[in-house]
Amino acid sequence: MTHAYQEIYRSNAQAMLGDAFDYGINACHIPGSSFVKLFSASTISKRLENGEPSYLSGKSGIEVAMEILTETTGKVPDAAPQEHFGRSREYWIGWACAYYQWFSGRSYSDIFQAVPFEELQKLYDPLHEADITKFADILDARMREFFADTNLKRIRTAYGCTQAELAKRSGVSLRSIQMYEQRNKDINKASAETLLRLSKVLGCTMEDLMEK
C-alpha cells in the first residue's frame, strides 16, 4: 500500500495532531464536531496530508491548532494549554486519525465525513489501548460503506460510458470491469497495462482508478 508520506514523519504527525485536538477542544472549548470541520476546511489539513516537513516536524500541536483557528475563524486563540496526565480522549482521536490518514492516504475531509467526531468518541473506550491497526481496519470498513461506489464506477459514470462501451474501447474484459466495480477483484492489484487502458479511455490517471 502507498502511504500518504514517508513513515519517518508519522509518529510526529500523530503526536502533533493529538495535541492540536486536545488544545482546540479542551483548552479552547470548541465542540469536537466543530473543530474537525474547521480543521478539514483549513489549508493546514492539506499540508499535513501532503506530508510537508515544516508542519510534520517543525511545529507543535498547539501551534497547529492556533493556526487552524486563526485561519478559519479570524481570531487568535488565547487559551492557555491545560496540563494533563496521559492522553485525553480528544488527543487519542487526533492521534489515531493522523495514523489512519498516513496509512490510507485519504483526505481528512473524507475521513471525518465518513466517520463523524461523535462516532470517533464511541471508539475510544474499546480501542484506545488496542493496536492502532484495529482502528485502521474499522475505519477502512466505514469508508467502504460510506463511499460505496468504486473509483472506477464513479469515474466511468461521470464520463457517461457504460461497462460494455468501456470494455470494447479499452480491451479489458467486461467481466473484469464488473468484478472491479463490485469489489470482487481488487483493482489495486490490476496490471499496469490494464490500468493504463482504462485510464486512457476515461481521461483520468491510473492512480485515480485505485482504491485507498
Side-chain angles (χ1 to χ4, degrees):
M1 174 179 287
T2 302
H3 300 304
Y5 47 83
Q6 295 180 45
E7 189 172 4
I8 58 172
Y9 296 116
R10 176 179 56 80
S11 61
N12 286 343
Q14 288 182 257
M16 182 267 295
L17 199 60
D19 283 336
F21 271 52
D22 186 69
Y23 174 77
I25 297 168
N26 293 325
C28 298
H29 305 294
I30 297 173
S33 57
S34 298
F35 186 78
V36 297
K37 288 178 182 176
L38 295 175
F39 169 59
S40 299
S42 70
T43 61
I44 290 86
S45 68
K46 310 303 182 293
R47 290 171 178 157
L48 298 182
E49 291 166 6
N50 294 332
E52 290 189 18
S54 61
Y55 274 82
L56 295 181
S57 61
K59 293 180 182 291
S60 71
I62 294 172
E63 288 175 320
V64 167
M66 292 181 72
E67 285 193 31
I68 292 166
L69 296 176
T70 301
E71 177 185 310
T72 56
T73 69
K75 299 178 181 178
V76 179
D78 58 3
Q82 297 179 344
E83 290 190 19
H84 56 81
F85 299 94
R87 298 175 176 178
S88 67
R89 179 174 56 180
E90 291 71 26
Y91 176 98
W92 178 82
I93 290 172
W95 177 87
C97 287
Y99 174 88
Y100 183 70
Q101 193 282 319
W102 166 82
F103 172 80
S104 67
R106 289 185 178 274
S107 69
Y108 282 110
S109 177
D110 281 354
I111 293 169
F112 292 121
Q113 187 180 0
V115 191
F117 184 81
E118 292 75 12
E119 288 190 37
L120 291 166
Q121 287 181 305
K122 294 176 183 177
L123 294 175
Y124 174 76
D125 280 331
L127 292 178
H128 74 281
E129 293 183 348
D131 190 289
I132 190 62
T133 57
K134 293 185 178 179
F135 176 80
D137 288 343
I138 289 174
L139 258 65
D140 264 344
R142 298 283 181 88
M143 298 296 282
R144 285 194 295 270
E145 290 174 5
F146 190 85
F147 298 103
D149 287 343
T150 62
N151 290 335
L152 175 59
K153 182 177 181 180
R154 178 176 54 80
I155 294 171
R156 178 184 60 76
T157 302
Y159 189 78
C161 183
T162 67
Q163 290 179 333
E165 289 171 339
L166 179 57
K168 183 177 180 180
R169 294 176 60 187
S170 68
V172 178
S173 72
L174 175 59
R175 182 58 179 156
S176 289
I177 291 171
Q178 291 171 337
M179 293 185 74
Y180 287 137
E181 291 194 359
Q182 294 165 3
R183 291 195 171 93
N184 290 325
K185 285 180 70 174
D186 186 355
I187 197 167
N188 291 351
K189 296 179 180 178
S191 68
E193 182 181 358
T194 295
L195 291 171
L196 181 61
R197 288 181 177 185
L198 293 170
S199 64
K200 279 188 173 181
V201 174
L202 296 174
C204 63
T205 67
M206 294 166 61
E207 289 76 15
D208 288 337
L209 297 175
M210 299 181 73
E211 298 295 316
K212 296 179 179 178

